[in-house]
Amino acid sequence: EAQVTQNPRYLITVTGKKLTVTCSQNMNHEYMSWYRQDPGLGLRQIYYSMNVEVTDKGDVPEGYKVSRKEKRNFPLILESPSPNQTSLYFCASSLYGISSTDTQYFGPGTRLTVL
Amino acid sequence: GNSVTQMEGPVTLSEEAFLTINCTYTATGYPSLFWYVQYPGEGLQLLLKATKADDKGSNKGFEATYRKETTSFHLEKGSVQVSDSAVYFCALAQGSNTGKLIFGQGTTLQVKP
């Protein structure tokens, strides 16, 4: 089954404790992206990757890191999480990017709480 | 910069009522426009899309027309069902095959039997 998976689905952590949220897709997609969803703000893009070893900032990259060493995986790293990073995080992928002919598939989400 | 503005929710309708969710955008040129839907507890799914002026995207009874003159992409459905209850997001992508996607704040729709 074609899908985007995220782990963990739920995480409660404390300020300053490094964490990684994994994202994996099995559709051989070149494009992957991370978003955060906050009430009243919709989804905001954190980072995206057009291909292996190619990453770029979205609208809210501060406090986050990403890497794209292989096509299927796009982990999101919080080196020193803070309470304002408490949010619902979504990973997404598509074949080549955001376009009228390409469909973006979303993962189920990771709910992160930073105390 | 580019931005998307949606009408504030929640929107509460009775089953079989007509739905309109307003979406306006700010962008240069001709962005691609999208509507995504998020059912409770799930990730987002693409609902429909349009790429140029006067294009009409449609899916599952929902429609939206790309209006360049009013910079709008309003979502409509003639007769909503309880199963349409969800959060709807309007989104914009500048250029073709780009990496950046800008979302509106989302509009919650609740349909009552």
Side-chain angles (χ1 to χ4, degrees):
Chain A
E1 180 191 353
Q3 59 183 350
V4 178
T5 56
Q6 296 178 225
N7 282 292
R9 294 289 313 279
Y10 302 90
L11 179 60
I12 300 174
T13 189
V14 295
T15 299
K17 185 177 182 181
K18 181 180 179 180
L19 67 91
T20 299
V21 183
T22 65
C23 174
S24 182
Q25 49 90 9
N26 63 359
M27 296 169 277
N28 202 37
H29 285 170
E30 293 187 358
Y31 174 87
M32 298 184 76
S33 182
W34 276 103
Y35 302 89
R36 59 178 289 174
Q37 182 178 7
D38 301 290
L41 297 176
L43 275 81
R44 293 177 292 168
Q45 193 171 32
I46 304 171
Y47 271 96
Y48 63 94
S49 169
M50 299 298 286
N51 212 328
V52 175
E53 303 290 1
V54 179
T55 62
D56 212 341
K57 296 178 180 178
D59 289 326
V60 289
E62 297 78 18
Y64 304 94
K65 284 176 57 177
V66 292
S67 69
R68 188 89 182 276
K69 292 184 171 55
E70 45 189 347
K71 187 179 274 192
R72 65 181 294 124
N73 296 322
F74 190 44
L76 180 70
I77 303 158
L78 285 72
E79 295 269 4
S80 182
S82 62
N84 64 12
Q85 292 178 298
T86 293
S87 187
L88 179 58
Y89 292 86
F90 288 101
C91 180
S93 74
S94 64
L95 197 54
Y96 298 118
I98 310 290
S99 75
S100 60
T101 56
D102 211 343
T103 297
Q104 196 171 194
Y105 295 86
F106 281 78
T110 294
R111 186 165 292 282
L112 171 66
T113 301
V114 183
L115 303 174
Chain B
N2 298 338
S3 66
V4 177
T5 302
Q6 292 180 231
M7 64 186 287
E8 284 195 30
V11 174
T12 303
L13 295 173
S14 298
E15 209 165 20
E16 299 184 2
F18 185 86
L19 168 71
T20 299
I21 299 178
N22 290 339
C23 171
T24 57
Y25 67 89
T26 301
T28 55
Y30 290 87
S32 295
L33 300 173
F34 306 85
W35 276 101
Y36 284 84
V37 58
Q38 183 181 32
Y39 297 104
E42 298 184 11
L44 276 72
Q45 302 173 27
L46 180 65
L47 182 59
L48 53 84
K49 56 191 175 185
T51 55
K52 58 184 187 295
D54 300 325
D55 259 5
K56 179 183 282 189
S58 61
N59 186 24
K60 298 181 181 180
F62 291 89
E63 292 183 341
T65 301
Y66 190 142
R67 301 285 187 203
K68 178 71 173 172
E69 64 277 12
T70 54
T71 62
S72 65
F73 193 54
H74 305 323
L75 182 68
E76 296 180 337
K77 186 175 185 183
S79 176
V80 294
Q81 306 300 311
V82 172
S83 58
D84 293 326
S85 298
V87 183
Y88 292 82
F89 293 93
C90 186
L92 170 160
Q94 188 81 57
S96 61
N97 202 30
T98 178
K100 296 197 75 170
L101 189 62
I102 297 170
F103 284 89
Q105 68 267 45
T107 302
T108 299
L109 170 66
Q110 185 177 20
V111 181
K112 297 187 173 181

